Amino acid sequence: MTAAELVAAYLSALEQADADAVLELFAPGGVVRSPLYGPRPATDFYPELFADTSRASLTLLGVAEGQTRQGAALISFWFHFDWRLPSGAAAPFDVVDLAELTDDGRIATLRIVYDTVDVRPVFERETGSSWRPPTGPG
């Protein structure tokens, strides 16, 4: 699967809240690192995200390919996520996802990067969740 095909399949599955389709793109033991949910196994992250979503509309803004320092394939994709929480409250944001791939082209780790300043208050009010990344050295 090419980078463009992987990104298209991922965004389509994400927009449709299709956990099975998303998880097919991940290697066994795949991990998602999210600024709102923290680090989670992909098998836990997507059902939780979809439970917190009433609707999503995604617009791809760009794709880049490269590799990690260790030589693993890395795909970066930038998109607008028009996220609606269960009540219908809007929590839109622009995001860059960094997908580190296994040798067979599946996602080993997905790092989600975006500024949560506008999204976090709405998300916490809606879900009662308030995960924060650890602070300090380490």
Side-chain angles (χ1 to χ4, degrees), residues 7-18 22 46 49-50 53 55-62 77-84 91-95 97:
V7 170
Y10 177 80
L11 293 180
S12 175
L14 189 62
E15 191 168 57
Q16 295 172 31
D18 186 340
V22 171
Y46 290 98
L49 172 65
F50 296 152
T53 303
R55 185 171 51 88
S57 177
L58 310 177
T59 304
L60 181 63
L61 301 171
F77 46 106
W78 171 36
F79 60 101
H80 179 74
F81 194 148
D82 185 6
W83 188 27
R84 302 298 165 150
F93 55 92
D94 288 342
V95 57
D97 283 4

Side-chain angles (χ1 to χ4, degrees), residues 4-50:
E5 291 168 337
L6 178 71
V7 170
Y10 177 80
L11 293 180
S12 175
L14 189 62
E15 191 168 57
Q16 295 172 31
D18 186 340
D20 291 336
V22 171
L23 293 173
E24 285 179 18
L25 303 172
F26 277 80
V31 173
V32 176
R33 302 186 65 83
S34 164
L36 287 180
Y37 294 88
R40 298 263 197 290
T43 53
D44 294 343
F45 174 78
Y46 290 98
E48 189 174 348
L49 172 65
F50 296 152

Side-chain angles (χ1 to χ4, degrees), residues 40-126:
R40 298 263 197 290
T43 53
D44 294 343
F45 174 78
Y46 290 98
E48 189 174 348
L49 172 65
F50 296 152
D52 291 338
T53 303
S54 67
R55 185 171 51 88
S57 177
L58 310 177
T59 304
L60 181 63
L61 301 171
V63 177
E65 294 181 69
Q67 60 181 257
T68 67
R69 287 184 61 186
Q70 294 76 27
L74 181 68
I75 299 173
S76 304
F77 46 106
W78 171 36
F79 60 101
H80 179 74
F81 194 148
D82 185 6
W83 188 27
R84 302 298 165 150
L85 298 168
S87 69
F93 55 92
D94 288 342
V95 57
V96 175
D97 283 4
L98 305 165
E100 184 177 333
L101 306 182
T102 59
D103 290 339
D104 67 354
R106 295 172 80 191
I107 301 169
T109 303
L110 184 78
R111 288 175 171 79
I112 302 170
V113 182
Y114 61 96
D115 186 345
T116 63
V117 71
D118 293 328
V119 174
R120 185 174 297 281
V122 175
F123 174 78
E124 289 178 352
R125 194 168 45 251
E126 184 88 11

